[in-house]
């Protein structure tokens, strides 16, 4: 039996669930044993109680109690090899690669594909990454995330050193991300900054889509337990009358569901966002409701259009872009919006 350990979360381990982080460190631990340690308060994060779903941050210290030898009834044996990726999935994910060198790899993540697995979810990017080795000793590592229904540029590290460097870029806000979205109505003013803080609202969203976030006034963040500041820049690129707008979104912070919650808070939810925009409501122009009706898809219209980062080995800036997914491309065509006419960075034009 080992003694108590105090382990620090590394930059490339940030934003992982506590239970998954622990299983990577101690592969013989099963979910049952982890849950028991959490219930008894033996497993702690920065001295406080935690849940299996707690998202870790770089620099946090996890207290791990003495671990006995593996228990066959509660501890799963370590798999010698990861679950094989089907030939069809391997072709699909390899075709989504938009950049690759010996240090980093980027894909155009399809909408509907989770980045990491959840309850009963075995098909996700973390598992499919086995098909993205391309001769490397290990699969590429995630250094940031996109929501399941968000498409677009997602960056991965091919080495531990690259993962640390890229993670610092994200946490130090040196990595520039620009999203495109279609929103209900047209924001006024047509450009600005949203600074509402975010706190977990509790419960689960429609269809079991995970926990929902609640916006709170910036002045209330410091006094609200669990609340975190969140900042989003937005700019309208083009509008379809008063019914909808094509907006660029640049997250200054990187909170869960930040863009979706912020746009809904100012009365212009992202099209297709049943969680924050009201799945049964329609928008006839400048009103609330995330469904535009007619030929417009009910899927989420949020796309990670571009990402600019400093290469971890070469120190040069690289900007990667991803084309609109099919359902968003149809909406753009319907409204006469032309992606090729949009500035690479609409916020630079604003000054």
């Amino acid at each position: 039996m080992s003694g108590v350990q105090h382990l620090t979360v590394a930059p490339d381990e940030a934003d992982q669930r506590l239970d998954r982080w622990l299983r990577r460190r101690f592969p013989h631990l099963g979910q049952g044993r982890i849950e028991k340690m959490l219930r008894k308060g033996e497993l702690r994060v920065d001295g406080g109680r935690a849940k299996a779903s707690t998202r870790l941050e770089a620099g946090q210290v996890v207290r791990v109690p003495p671990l006995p030898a593996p228990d066959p009834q509660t501890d799963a044996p370590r798999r010698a090899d990861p679950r094989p990726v089907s030939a069809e999935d391997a072709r699909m994910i390899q075709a989504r690669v938009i950049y690759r060198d010996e240090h980093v790899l980027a894909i155009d993540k399809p909408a509907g594909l989770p980045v990491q697995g959840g309850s009963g979810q075995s098909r996700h990017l973390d598992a499919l990454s086995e098909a993205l080795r391309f001769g490397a000793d290990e699969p590429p590592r995630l250094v940031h995330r996109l929501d399941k229904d968000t498409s677009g540029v997602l960056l991965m590290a091919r080495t531990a050193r690259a993962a640390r460097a890229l993670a610092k870029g994200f946490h130090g806000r040196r990595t520039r991300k620009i999203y495109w979205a279609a929103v209900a109505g047209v924001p006024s003013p047509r450009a600005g900054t949203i600074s509402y803080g975010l706190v977990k609202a509790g419960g689960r969203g429609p269809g079991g889509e995970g926990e929902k976030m609640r916006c709170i006034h910036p002045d209330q963040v410091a006094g609200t337990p669990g609340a975190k500041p969140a900042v989003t820049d937005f700019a309208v690129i083009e509008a379809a009358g008063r019914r909808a707008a094509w907006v660029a979104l640049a997250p200054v912070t990187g909170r869960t569901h930040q863009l979706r919650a912020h746009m809904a808070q100012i009365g212009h939810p992202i099209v297709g966002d049943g969680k924050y925009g009201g799945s049964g409501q329609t928008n006839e122009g400048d009103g609330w409701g995330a469904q535009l009706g007619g030929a417009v898809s009910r899927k989420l219209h949020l796309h990670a259009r571009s990402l600019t980062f400093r290469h971890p080995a070469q120190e040069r800036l690289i900007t990667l872009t991803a084309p609109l997914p099919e359902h968003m491309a149809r909406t753009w065509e319907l409204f006469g919006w032309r992606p090729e006419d949009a500035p690479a960075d609409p916020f630079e034009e604003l000054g």
Side-chain angles (χ1 to χ4, degrees):
M1 178 181 293
S2 62
V4 173
Q5 301 178 65
H6 293 86
L7 305 176
T8 301
V9 179
D12 59 317
E13 296 176 318
D15 212 26
Q16 292 185 38
R17 285 172 54 112
L18 174 58
D19 54 355
R20 293 177 190 144
W21 176 87
L22 198 64
R23 285 201 299 270
R24 285 188 172 95
R25 293 284 191 117
F26 305 97
H28 70 277
L29 285 181
Q31 191 68 21
R33 185 179 292 276
I34 293 173
E35 296 285 355
K36 183 178 180 179
M37 291 190 296
L38 288 166
R39 285 195 303 270
K40 294 174 68 175
E42 298 174 337
L43 184 61
R44 292 176 172 263
V45 177
D46 283 347
R49 285 181 173 266
K51 299 179 181 179
S53 60
T54 295
R55 294 281 177 184
L56 297 175
E57 298 179 5
Q60 287 186 315
V61 176
V62 180
R63 179 196 185 275
V64 181
L67 299 177
D71 183 337
Q73 293 187 356
T74 59
D75 294 332
R78 184 175 188 177
R79 267 197 322 229
D81 296 299
R83 179 177 298 180
V85 179
S86 71
E88 180 181 1
D89 277 343
R91 286 193 296 271
M92 180 278 294
I93 200 65
Q94 289 171 2
R96 309 293 298 200
V97 174
I98 56 178
Y99 180 86
R100 171 167 63 96
D101 62 28
E102 64 269 32
H103 304 282
V104 299
L105 178 146
I107 68 165
D108 174 11
K109 188 189 86 66
L113 178 68
V115 171
Q116 292 178 305
S119 177
Q121 180 63 255
S122 60
R123 187 175 183 270
H124 50 84
L125 181 58
D126 213 9
L128 297 182
S129 64
E130 283 293 326
L132 298 174
R133 286 177 179 259
F134 296 109
D137 294 335
E138 58 182 358
R141 309 178 184 198
L142 293 165
V143 293
H144 68 120
R145 296 185 304 145
L146 294 176
D147 288 350
K148 173 184 174 182
D149 293 321
T150 302
S151 58
V153 182
L154 190 140
L155 193 61
M156 306 178 78
R158 301 191 72 194
T159 67
R161 181 178 178 182
R164 288 190 293 271
L166 293 173
K168 288 180 180 178
F170 280 99
H171 291 291
R173 302 178 185 176
R174 296 188 298 273
T175 298
R176 176 75 163 168
K177 293 179 286 184
I178 295 178
Y179 291 73
W180 281 0
V183 303
V186 183
S188 180
R190 292 169 70 101
T193 298
I194 307 168
S195 300
Y196 283 93
L198 294 172
V199 66
K200 291 181 180 179
R204 298 185 71 81
E209 196 205 338
E211 196 160 26
K212 189 173 181 177
M213 307 302 289
R214 176 170 60 88
C215 287
I216 59 175
H217 193 276
D219 292 344
Q220 298 176 331
V221 172
T224 303
K228 295 181 178 180
V231 180
T232 300
D233 293 331
F234 72 91
V236 174
I237 297 177
E238 201 164 339
R242 295 186 306 155
R243 190 179 181 207
W246 165 14
V247 298
L249 300 169
V252 179
T253 55
R255 311 302 184 198
T256 300
H257 295 175
Q258 175 178 316
L259 304 182
R260 298 165 63 182
H262 271 175
M263 293 310 297
Q265 178 66 26
I266 66 170
H268 299 283
I270 295 173
V271 173
D273 192 350
K275 184 174 187 125
Y276 290 93
S279 58
Q281 299 171 317
T282 58
N283 176 68
E284 305 300 334
D286 281 352
W288 182 268
Q291 302 303 337
L292 299 187
V296 177
S297 170
R298 296 177 67 88
K299 293 181 179 180
L300 184 69
H301 284 55
L302 180 61
H303 178 67
R305 170 63 175 180
S306 69
L307 188 149
T308 300
F309 66 100
R310 190 167 295 280
H311 193 280
Q314 302 167 3
E315 287 297 310
R316 62 189 176 98
L317 283 177
I318 296 177
T319 297
L320 304 175
T321 61
L324 289 171
E326 183 179 355
H327 71 281
M328 289 180 66
R330 289 199 303 267
T331 299
W332 262 237
E333 183 177 1
L334 177 68
F335 288 131
W337 298 339
R338 290 163 44 93
E340 60 270 26
D341 292 341
D345 189 333
F347 303 97
E348 287 184 354
E349 293 197 350
L350 294 173

